[in-house]
Amino acid sequence: MQSTLSTVARGTAFEQRSLQLLQDCFSMSLRRVGGKSDGGVDLIGWWWLPFSEPRSPPSTPSTLSRRRIRVLAQCKAEKKKFSPNYVREMEGVWHMHAQAHSPSARTSELGTVALLLSESTFTTATLTRALGSSVPFLLMNLPPPTSLLPVSPDPRAEGTLGEVGSAFWNPTLGGAYGLLRGEFDVRWERDSGGGGRPGLWCRDKRVQSWTPDNIQGASVGEFGKADQ
């Protein structure tokens, strides 16, 4: 029982850490799903990406000129290396959700991204499977925080995100003919504390992380619910 509880607690902690990091560093507004009826999804929500060309008049904050993309995420807090079986499983989840949900007309929803987050590294077979998939995949390795680093309640503080990880996306997502039209790059950025965090770049310029949750008093009707 103790082992089971420890595994559940570890998984929940990793989901919470992933959710916070993605909002603070990657412009994703997600919520935890969990439970036996989660449909194979741990986190669900939206990725708020800026248009590559400014579309706001000078009087409008540029941060509001964003398009949203649906995100379906699975989190794996396992010590063993990430298996390609998880990629195949996520492909099935993605197709199931794609058939069940029609695009929203309220904002520029461009499609759905399959996001896989892992505390352990990805095997070569896993990366090969994801890179060749017709599903838009983003894979992110988030190593567990190092116990030697100081603990801080602010996940943006230097050193609190643990060791430098890695991030990969396939051509279906980030390629010139993919969902993002080759306009963005994902880079892992080191900090002075020896750790790191993922960063999003557009045409060699760092994209400031933003979600509707960052706007005080923003109405749900204006931006849409992040957990729909």
Side-chain angles (χ1 to χ4, degrees), residues 2 25 28 37 41 45-46 58 70 81 90-91 97 105 111 159 162 167 175 181 185 203-204 209 220 225:
Q2 182 64 35
C25 302
M28 291 189 184
S37 59
V41 175
W46 302 100
R70 169 69 78 184
K81 289 188 176 181
M90 192 59 177
E91 286 173 331
H97 278 260
R181 306 295 182 188
D185 294 308
R203 299 186 178 182
D204 290 327
S209 187
V220 171
K225 294 181 180 180

Side-chain angles (χ1 to χ4, degrees), residues 63-118:
T63 50
L64 296 184
S65 184
R66 298 253 177 163
R67 48 188 167 169
R68 70 178 187 175
I69 297 177
R70 169 69 78 184
V71 177
L72 305 174
Q74 284 188 352
C75 302
K76 302 295 182 183
E78 301 178 355
K79 295 182 180 180
K80 63 181 180 180
K81 289 188 176 181
F82 198 92
S83 165
N85 291 334
Y86 292 136
V87 176
R88 287 190 284 270
E89 176 184 319
M90 192 59 177
E91 286 173 331
V93 171
W94 185 91
H95 284 292
M96 180 184 68
H97 278 260
Q99 294 173 359
H101 297 86
S102 60
S104 171
R106 288 185 298 176
T107 62
S108 300
E109 184 191 348
L110 302 182
T112 301
V113 174
L115 172 60
L116 293 175
L117 301 123
S118 175

